[in-house]
Structures are given as C-alpha cells and as structure tokens.
Amino acid sequence: MKNFRHTRITGGTAIIGAMKSKLALLGGLGANKFLRDYWQKKPLLIRQAIPGFNGLLDPRQLIALACTEDVQARLVTQQRGKFELRQAPFEPQDFDLAGKVKWSVLVQGVNHHLPEAAALLKNFSFIPHARLDDLMVSYAPKGGGVGPHFDSYDVFLLQGSGHRRWQISSQSDRSLIAGAPLRILSDFRAEQEWVLEAGDMLYLPPHYAHNGIAEDDCMTYSIGFRTPAYQELAEQFLVYLQDRIEVDGMYADPGLKTQQHPSEISAAMLQQAEKAINKVRWDREDIANFLGCYLSEPKPHIFFSTPGRPLSPAKFRQTLQKHGVKLDLKSQMLCHSGWIFINGEAHRADESDYPVLRTLADERELTALTDIPAGLNELLYQWYLDGYIAPV
Ligand code: SIN
Ligand code: CO
C-alpha cells in the first residue's frame, strides 16, 4: 500500500476536461467582482460551482495516499464529543474504524501526487500562484468532521462525493477548548448553515468560524491559500540576507583610551559597531528575490525524484522540440521582472527566455518549442536532472 502510484485513479481527467468549457466556478460572478466583494471579506456559497464534479478519488484511494511515505495526513477521531488527533505515518489498518467512532482523514498536498488535482487547481488561477498553498482532501463517514474551528487562511471548500453540512459564524470569540489536541472553538454559535452536495463550493475568508459535519460518506476538497505572518517573513528575510551581505573593514582602535571599568563596553566601541551594522543595506530587488525564493521553497517533507536514466542534453532538446515539457507536480515556480524562481532557487533569465519561462510558470507546461536558445536548453536540462521538470 506504500506506493500510491500503483493505485488506479479513474475519471478525474475527463471530469476536469468536461467542466472547463462551462465552468461556473464563482456562480457567474466573475473573478474581479469576487475579489472586490468577497475575497478576504465575507463567505460565499456557490451551488454547482463545478457542475458534474464528483471528486477525483474514492475513500480507498485517499486512504492509500494517507499511507504513502512523505504524505502529510491526519486522522481525527471523535468519541462522546472528545476529539483525538493522529498524524502520518499510517498503515491501512489504522482506518478500520467502522462504527466505533466518528472519524475523518485529511490529506494535504494532494496536488503533488495527482495530476487531476493539479488540473483542478488551475481553475483557481485568478488568485496568484504565490498565494496558493495546496489542495487538501478529506474523507469522513457519517458524523465525521474536525469540529468547529477557524483557519488563518482563505479556503474554498469544494464538495466531492457525498454531502457535508457546513455551519458558519462571524463570531469574534475565538477562544479554544483548552488542552484539546485540535484547535476547537469552545463556544461556536452557528449563524448560517447549508448542506453541500457534489460540485457545490463554499468560500471562507480567514478567521471565519466553521464546522463541517459529514451527512453520509463525504469527501471535501479544500483549496487553501497561504498568508505568511510578517514576523516569519522578516525573520526569513534576515536568514536570506545573511548569505548575501558584504560589509568591508574590521574593528580598529588605534586611539584607544584607558577606561575605569575594563568590563564596560565603551561608547566609542558601540559607535563603531553601529556604523558597521548600518552599512547593511538592501533594496527592492533583494526583497523580490527573497520573496521569490521563500514562496517557491518546497515544504521540508518534499523531495524530487531525479530521472533514473536521464536523456542526453541533445536528446532532451529534441524531446523539448517535439513534445514540450511540464513542471513536476511538486514544483513551485514564480517570476518577477526578469527573475525566475523555482523550488527556492533564483535565476536571472535572458530577455527573450523570460516570457517562455513565465509561460511555464503560469501554465505549468510548455508545448513543443521550435526554437530553443542554448542557454535556455541548458537551464531546462538542469531542472530536468534535478527532477523539477519532465518531458511531456
Ligand atoms: C474537512 O475537510 O473536514 C475540514 C476542512 C476545514 O474545515 O477546513
Ligand atoms: Co477549516
């Protein structure tokens, strides 16, 4: 059960392909109106956001994924109102829970394992890739859920198979049950509720209290976004900066004077240190570079598989010309003003290569390329060897 790639996944591509033409994702609202009126502001329920969508996985396949190495998964059980939490690694028998308790399994980063999940995320490209976190999929039999809580990020809760009752509240009381293994609101007061069925979707802004309870065998697809805390951003920027700063000179005190207390840091010493530290400078390009690296950095559990028997550079070039190339499902690629960021690395692109690489970042795929400059081929070849991209 360890290797998910051996599990057969059916149906997904056809559904995503079919739904593309008549996608009513935002209920006919249009991305601009949604962003203006709802994004980060208020919830929105969209009935039949994706007509015909019934999910990409069945419970057995999701459990197989939860049992796969390096997959982040959680199992939440609930008995007489008391919640318990277990984190991966799991064995299939961990899910032999039928009837004993209410439970739910939640698997993060499904888009890193399933091409159909990555295709589903493309429908959310009206939000910049830099804001996207991942696709989480949950399964719960009747009564299962993770309890009333709030998240600190925006989320689209898309219903797959089955039904889920969503209760939401604009309450400002965010006190949590002390000592609970999950963040559960101690006084949740539902203000609105709906039962969602396959294809329905609920958008929630950050910090909006919600509670989802499975009405039957229920699978929910959560498209989650990320909002780095300023503290984390600033700390990480200092880490980034420490490898890049250059401050000339060394402490010198040819005019040293005797001092009454040898243990005291003198004002002269302090002044000299202050002057040196004030030489640390950064500009907007440093910040853009940092942001590109930081936001495209894979999470710590993510590893790339390098090709077993790699193509030669010449063969790779031919393949590129004939078939094109696609990003590995785990790759994160961003760009800014001539800079390309992939999986935490920054590359300055030639003026003519930049639009090509930006298309790869936007679409996660480049169709057959007729003209490939040597520099671009070299860069793409290196990414291919690193497992970041693969021929289509
Ligand atoms: C779930 O899918 O059960 C939980 C999703 C959420 O509440 O964020
Ligand atoms: Co939530």
Side-chain angles (χ1 to χ4, degrees), residues 5-37:
R5 282 173 207 287
H6 294 149
T7 311
R8 240 173 82 76
I9 309 293
T10 53
T13 318
I15 291 164
I16 303 276
M19 76 198 188
K20 249 187 184 162
S21 51
K22 46 178 178 181
L23 195 69
L25 191 73
L26 299 169
L29 204 60
N32 289 327
K33 279 207 178 111
F34 169 77
L35 294 178
R36 189 192 64 197
D37 297 341

Side-chain angles (χ1 to χ4, degrees), residues 26 155 305:
L26 299 169
V155 65
S305 324

Side-chain angles (χ1 to χ4, degrees), residues 136 146-147 149-151 153 155 157 166 204 208 210-211 222:
M136 179 184 84
V146 298
H149 66 282
F150 65 89
D151 300 305
Y153 47 78
V155 65
L157 299 154
W166 281 109
L204 292 177
Y208 215 93
H210 54 287
N211 186 27
S222 301

Side-chain angles (χ1 to χ4, degrees), residues 244-264:
R244 283 161 184 84
I245 54 169
E246 278 177 27
V247 184
D248 291 337
M250 270 180 93
Y251 187 82
D253 50 4
L256 186 65
K257 301 271 186 308
T258 54
Q259 55 185 63
Q260 196 186 356
H261 300 288
S263 61
E264 216 161 54

